[in-house]
Amino acid sequence: MNLQASSFAVGIPSFSSPFRRHRNFPVFRAQVEPSEKSVEIMRKFSEQYARKSGTYFCADKGVTSVVIKGLADHKDALGAPLCPCRHYDDKAAEAGQGFWNCPCVPMRERKECHCMLFLTPDNDFAGSEQTITMDEIKSATENM
Amino acid sequence: MAAEEGQVISCHTVEAWNEQLQKGNDSKKLIVVDFTASWCGPCRFIAPVLAELAKKYPGVTFLKVDVDELKTVAQDWAVEAMPTFVFLKEGKIVDRVVGAKKEELLQTITKHVATTSA
């Protein structure tokens, strides 16, 4: 677990100069891309769960794509799709506890997904689709 | 810094963060901090809105903190959900908006800008 914790401390520098980070940290990584396998698993899960819960993806599929990749990233790193829209003091402990593993308890109980992955039809941001392709995810996140 | 006016300033180190906070506190300007994360969909959705607001309100300091990058800051400020917007004036938290709520964000800024200039 220590290894994991230290890798998170390094963070995901989306905008900072790689040179500066190089100097400050012995281990560095660029924006981490989740594995394609995990993205596909979370993509399928999202489609199935949207249908099952009667919810829809955001009209802006960029939001959907980023969240699916975030879930995949946590699945790779922690073994569980921990919600990427929350901050945790200890991600590994949180993933073990399960409350915020997708679909989280607020989603299962009240259809509340503040990540905007699963939106009820009355939500202003809800689109009309319950499907998303791998190509849509790729093109929506290629310039991140 | 005049060069930073009208822009959202990303803080990548605790030192840079502290420096910006100190600057904001000294100038008594309203500070809006956007706590964000790289794979948070709503954060990405609200980012261009915040950039627009920064242009519109050059007298307000807009800071951005990635919670995975500055873990201790996120912890100290009790950030749970992202995005979280914290409003500061002279070192005090005056408001908090949780979620990508465009209208609420705008209303909260105008509310505090009005009280600053009064």
Side-chain angles (χ1 to χ4, degrees):
Chain A
M1 284 303 136
N2 262 342
L3 261 178
Q4 260 173 356
S6 67
S7 76
F8 280 117
V10 173
I12 303 164
S14 2
F15 305 109
S16 60
S17 150
F19 302 104
R20 190 165 49 77
R21 296 200 69 86
H22 220 144
R23 199 185 58 208
N24 289 349
F25 300 95
V27 180
F28 79 102
R29 48 185 196 181
Q31 171 87 45
V32 177
E33 275 291 314
S35 67
E36 189 147 337
K37 185 177 161 229
S38 289
V39 176
E40 177 57 15
I41 291 171
M42 295 323 299
R43 182 191 73 77
K44 273 203 168 140
F45 152 78
S46 301
E47 288 188 340
Q48 280 166 2
Y49 195 77
R51 280 198 299 274
K52 188 183 155 203
S53 60
T55 55
Y56 293 85
F57 293 147
C58 185
D60 175 358
K61 290 248 187 101
V63 171
T64 317
S65 305
V66 170
V67 178
I68 288 175
K69 277 202 167 180
L71 291 170
D73 181 50
H74 276 164
K75 192 166 165 45
D76 284 342
L78 308 161
L82 189 65
C83 177
C85 305
R86 294 190 67 82
H87 172 252
Y88 317 91
D89 291 347
D90 185 339
K91 284 195 183 190
E94 204 67 49
Q97 203 270 341
F99 190 94
W100 292 111
N101 288 344
C102 190
C104 65
V105 173
M107 181 63 208
R108 278 178 272 157
E109 289 184 350
R110 302 185 296 277
K111 295 192 185 180
E112 282 173 13
C113 170
H114 93 282
C115 236
M116 295 167 67
L117 177 58
F118 303 114
L119 298 167
T120 51
D122 60 322
N123 189 299
D124 287 346
F125 297 105
S128 55
E129 290 178 41
Q130 294 174 320
T131 57
I132 185 164
T133 65
M134 200 63 170
D135 283 344
E136 279 180 287
I137 295 175
K138 278 184 185 155
S139 67
T141 55
E142 67 187 354
N143 291 322
M144 281 186 68
Chain B
M1 285 281 156
E4 290 169 339
E5 255 180 31
Q7 285 181 34
V8 181
I9 306 160
S10 291
C11 301
H12 297 294
T13 62
V14 176
E15 293 74 31
W17 160 253
N18 286 334
E19 192 187 314
Q20 288 296 342
L21 270 194
Q22 191 59 49
K23 226 193 275 181
N25 293 347
D26 292 346
S27 68
K28 300 187 177 176
K29 286 198 327 190
L30 174 67
I31 306 177
V32 181
V33 190
D34 173 13
F35 286 96
T36 182
S38 38
W39 293 120
C40 156
C43 300
R44 198 175 103 143
F45 166 80
I46 203 78
V49 175
L50 199 73
E52 275 305 308
L53 288 170
K55 264 189 222 161
K56 199 174 159 193
Y57 295 99
V60 179
T61 303
F62 289 87
L63 304 179
K64 188 177 269 200
V65 170
D66 184 312
V67 297
D68 289 312
E69 210 170 38
L70 302 189
K71 275 178 83 77
T72 53
V73 176
Q75 217 161 318
D76 290 348
W77 291 62
V79 175
E80 291 185 334
M82 272 92 72
T84 287
F85 299 93
V86 177
F87 295 73
L88 295 163
K89 225 187 261 180
E90 296 180 49
K92 288 194 190 77
I93 297 178
V94 290
D95 239 316
R96 217 174 165 101
V97 171
V98 178
K101 299 168 187 159
K102 195 176 164 177
E103 284 308 311
E104 200 179 323
L105 187 60
L106 180 62
Q107 277 167 15
T108 313
I109 291 172
T110 45
K111 183 173 120 191
H112 291 293
V113 165
T115 52
T116 304
S117 52

